[in-house]
Amino acid sequence: MTALERISNRTCGDGQKKAVLTVEKILERVKKDGDTALIEYTKKFDGFDPDPLEVPLEAIERAWEETPKPLQDALITAKHRIQDFHQKQIPKNILFKGIEGETLGRRWQPVQKAGIYIPGGRASYPSTVLMNAIPASVAGVKEIIMVSPGGSNGLVNQTVLAAAYITGIKTVFRIGGAQAIGAMAYGTNTIPKVNVISGPGNLYVTLAKKYVYGDVGIDALAGPSEVLIIADNSADVRHIAADLLAQAEHDPLAATILLTTNSVLAEKIDDEIMEQLEEHPRKEICLKALKDWGLIVICNDLETCAKLTDYFAPEHLELLLKMPYQVADKINNAGAIFIGAWSPEATGDYLAGPNHTLPTSGTARFSGALGVETFMKNTSIIEFNKQAFDKNSKAIIELANSEGLHSHAKSIEIRLSKSSEEI
Amino acid sequence: MTALERISNRTCGDGQKKAVLTVEKILERVKKDGDTALIEYTKKFDGFDPDPLEVPLEAIERAWEETPKPLQDALITAKHRIQDFHQKQIPKNILFKGIEGETLGRRWQPVQKAGIYIPGGRASYPSTVLMNAIPASVAGVKEIIMVSPGGSNGLVNQTVLAAAYITGIKTVFRIGGAQAIGAMAYGTNTIPKVNVISGPGNLYVTLAKKYVYGDVGIDALAGPSEVLIIADNSADVRHIAADLLAQAEHDPLAATILLTTNSVLAEKIDDEIMEQLEEHPRKEICLKALKDWGLIVICNDLETCAKLTDYFAPEHLELLLKMPYQVADKINNAGAIFIGAWSPEATGDYLAGPNHTLPTSGTARFSGALGVETFMKNTSIIEFNKQAFDKNSKAIIELANSEGLHSHAKSIEIRLSKSSEEI
């Protein structure tokens, strides 16, 4: 399993330690100097003067109006489907009476402020706006702000602004990088301090999210994207090639893995990929990703495919199989499972409904998609009555004493004495 | 609100930066040298030779057998109540057909391995075993391991082992500190690598959990404990004093806050506390906590009490009020709310049912209690049929092209062409 392990642990080299120090410095500066630091770093890293930091509401509205009708329609379709799916995720409150008549519960509430990070540059994706803003909005978050770095002309990507518009976001700041994460975590004169930060970013953004985790909540630490396809002889080699390339085109670090029981297919796939690559606008990125982090494994049976998949714990799993559920039911670790020929990953990336923010680098072993819960938290409710108290007081005192916690026991005893006084 | 802010941000001083470096060094060592490093650090920090690392199963069984019957009964009562409450938390799978007949879903599964950290020393709490092991077990985790540092004699606290016994934990290692967190996160020859680490610890343990977060899942980053009590003239001053002390006795950093509309009560509380402190075995700890992080605020009305509470976002909130729900319904940010005179915090600490692992230091703004979800993760399911695919293909292609993702669009087009071929 060495090849899978190597791919799972792929990183962008030994720059990480240095990046950690850079990020710490940026965050401490932003914490201390607020807007001044923010403006300085934006000039330095993004190459424009971001003063004023906020994108005018008119610019957000104009971005929507200037979006071509077919793209407007597509954004609206996506919005509705994502909204519908996330509405089903809202966790139910628990509230019930225990056997002694005591009330116990767990109450869910939205956080009060959320901050959404949308990358700029190569990865300027309106779909990311939908996939972060909609869950926050469905969760019931009252105040959602968005940050996205301007280009060298100082302008935020227009389709990103259009997506912000239809999700109801009215507050957008044209900042990015670790400094934007710091601004939302600590607050500045201009940028409000939020409770949860979500959204993907480059290594610096991810390290900054890890640093501020605990001061604020975060969605997850996203690594480079990956797809694992399991295909048998019912699969179309053209589909497989297109779906692998749809992953490779993201990033030179994107991983593309094919597990198949069909050796003929495994042989054909290279030619098909090269053919589809011929006029590909991101040919170089794709080739680098495929060369560094591509893998084809011919397995004896689907059982083995499932086992290797669970071991790798892919972000995206496509099952191009005659009997896909035979494998789907065996999988423990996967961010999302795309079942059958009509469900290429792109359906889920854009509009199927489930979130496209998924666990990468094997983190599907312990985490799942971004959801409405990312923007909610729960509060326990405990209301003992006299009967429940009397029934359990002895056990509580026993446990408190076993832990040497005198006043824990005392807080029960003192009520017991009153309870007997009352009798 | 300055006093509340100061308390919310309480730390153990400027040692944190140094502790971060120490922890990083320990974790990197454990990652590299495994058991050798683990044994070395245990000798150095815990003062005994931990070889063999594992506590024999007989010792766990014996610890239970040797536990006095009343404490056994208390542990069993607590176990059942905690189990019942957590069973209600198991998240429901989502699986439904969309309007075009496509299948969409979210499937919850337990993680495969969980590791529970139980502190030694002053904070050696069997209740912590129950509050971590039971949610993992209710979640369905097959393999649960526990670590807890031995005392200077090398032995793990006997009641902690007894609690492990009744929650079904069979694998216990007598290690602690950052090195134990590293061992569970990275795995060694002896300690299995787990998917989720939960459980409280000192600053080093907490920093280690933050460091490994992302390699594994963690429950939360726990800070020192805190209680905020809102009391009106229906409250008994002896209850309030006992409940404040039950917090103060934990830790010199524990915070105890009383908000009250009753100035007479505010005046009486000091005397009552001093009286209850007279024979307190942890008098010094209590006094230090009260002096450094205690606060009494007389508020004009309950509205103000609720506002200040939301601002502070306490771990534990006690409502000793005639009409407690008038305040409870207004609270956004609290880990757990204890309602009425029969619900001192100790009920929830031990056996009411809800988890006692709660968000500290204001993190109730964005997080809640440890729950079965801590040990579970979800996988999205997407199965488009031809009809859903055809209906949405145009929108997906629009969105893919707007993001410049050629192969994302291609992965749709290539299926469309086949779809028309078939017609």
Side-chain angles (χ1 to χ4, degrees), chain B residues 87-287:
Chain B
Q87 254 148 8
K88 296 186 203 294
Q89 292 178 359
I90 296 176
K92 293 219 170 20
N93 289 340
I94 300 171
L95 195 69
F96 67 98
K97 294 265 182 204
I99 42 167
E100 310 296 337
E102 73 276 24
T103 301
L104 298 173
R106 188 160 75 146
R107 182 175 79 181
W108 288 89
Q109 283 166 295
V111 303
Q112 289 165 298
K113 293 183 192 182
I116 306 231
Y117 185 93
I118 304 297
R122 187 203 292 159
S124 192
Y125 298 152
S127 60
T128 309
V129 180
L130 303 185
M131 292 292 185
N132 285 273
I134 293 171
S137 153
V138 169
V141 181
K142 293 259 164 52
E143 192 175 338
I144 306 173
I145 67 163
M146 189 177 112
V147 299
S148 188
S152 54
N153 59 0
L155 295 178
V156 174
N157 178 287
Q158 292 298 292
T159 320
V160 161
L161 288 182
Y165 177 84
I166 61 157
T167 54
I169 291 181
K170 295 189 164 55
T171 312
V172 178
F173 301 98
R174 49 181 181 156
I175 52 172
Q179 60 275 17
I181 301 295
M184 292 194 287
Y186 306 127
T188 71
N189 282 338
T190 310
I191 317 293
K193 177 175 163 48
V194 303
N195 306 122
V196 170
I197 296 175
S198 78
N202 63 16
L203 180 65
Y204 293 88
V205 169
T206 304
L207 291 173
K209 282 169 73 182
K210 181 162 178 174
Y211 190 89
V212 301
Y213 164 64
D215 286 321
V216 295
I218 63 170
D219 54 344
L221 301 171
S225 196
E226 63 218 7
V227 72
L228 188 151
I229 299 178
I230 307 181
D232 62 14
N233 50 20
S234 74
D236 185 325
V237 69
R238 296 180 312 149
H239 296 181
I240 300 173
D243 296 358
L244 290 172
L245 285 173
Q247 196 57 235
E249 72 181 342
H250 269 298
D251 184 341
L253 285 167
T256 48
I257 300 169
L258 171 64
L259 309 182
T260 181
T261 48
N262 183 347
S263 58
V264 181
L265 192 151
E267 274 162 37
K268 280 191 199 159
I269 189 76
D270 265 2
D271 288 346
E272 179 63 31
I273 284 176
M274 290 318 291
E275 202 183 310
Q276 291 191 23
L277 262 179
E278 251 166 47
E279 290 174 32
H280 201 294
R282 294 185 178 197
K283 191 171 175 179
E284 293 313 310
I285 293 173
C286 291
L287 281 172

Side-chain angles (χ1 to χ4, degrees), chain A residues 173-251:
Chain A
F173 300 99
R174 48 181 181 155
I175 51 172
Q179 60 275 16
I181 300 296
M184 293 194 286
Y186 306 129
T188 72
N189 282 338
T190 311
I191 316 292
K193 178 176 162 49
V194 302
N195 306 122
V196 169
I197 296 175
S198 77
N202 62 18
L203 180 65
Y204 292 89
V205 169
T206 304
L207 291 173
K209 283 169 73 183
K210 180 161 180 177
Y211 190 88
V212 302
Y213 165 64
D215 287 320
V216 295
I218 63 170
D219 55 342
L221 301 171
S225 195
E226 62 218 10
V227 70
L228 188 152
I229 299 177
I230 306 180
D232 62 14
N233 49 21
S234 75
D236 185 325
V237 70
R238 297 179 314 149
H239 297 180
I240 301 173
D243 297 359
L244 290 173
L245 285 173
Q247 196 56 236
E249 71 181 343
H250 269 298
D251 184 339

Side-chain angles (χ1 to χ4, degrees), chain A residues 5-75:
Chain A
E5 197 161 350
R6 189 185 69 86
I7 296 174
S8 180
N9 292 316
R10 69 197 181 281
T11 68
C12 48
D14 50 9
Q16 179 138 349
K17 284 250 156 161
K18 213 179 133 204
V20 169
L21 296 175
T22 307
V23 163
E24 280 182 21
K25 202 181 130 201
I26 293 171
L27 291 172
E28 292 301 329
R29 238 338 277 291
V30 171
K31 194 177 193 172
K32 197 168 125 267
D33 297 333
D35 287 339
T36 314
L38 208 48
I39 290 170
E40 231 178 86
Y41 285 126
T42 304
K43 282 183 187 164
K44 183 174 168 188
F45 296 128
D46 298 322
F48 70 96
D49 181 350
D51 191 18
L53 289 159
E54 190 169 349
V55 176
L57 190 53
E58 306 82 68
I60 301 172
E61 291 166 350
R62 202 170 50 242
W64 173 250
E65 283 154 21
E66 290 175 359
T67 299
K69 183 70 173 44
L71 184 51
Q72 280 189 343
D73 290 346
L75 285 165

Side-chain angles (χ1 to χ4, degrees), chain B residues 4-24:
Chain B
L4 281 177
E5 198 161 347
R6 188 186 67 86
I7 296 173
S8 181
N9 292 315
R10 70 195 180 284
T11 68
C12 46
D14 51 10
Q16 180 139 350
K17 283 250 158 166
K18 212 181 131 203
V20 169
L21 296 176
T22 308
V23 164
E24 282 182 19

Side-chain angles (χ1 to χ4, degrees), chain A residues 124-125 249 280-282 350, chain B residues 398-408:
Chain A
S124 192
Y125 299 150
E249 71 181 343
H280 201 294
R282 293 186 177 196
Y350 291 115
Chain B
E398 273 296 331
L399 290 162
N401 286 332
S402 86
E403 297 187 347
L405 293 175
H406 175 80
S407 285
H408 281 62

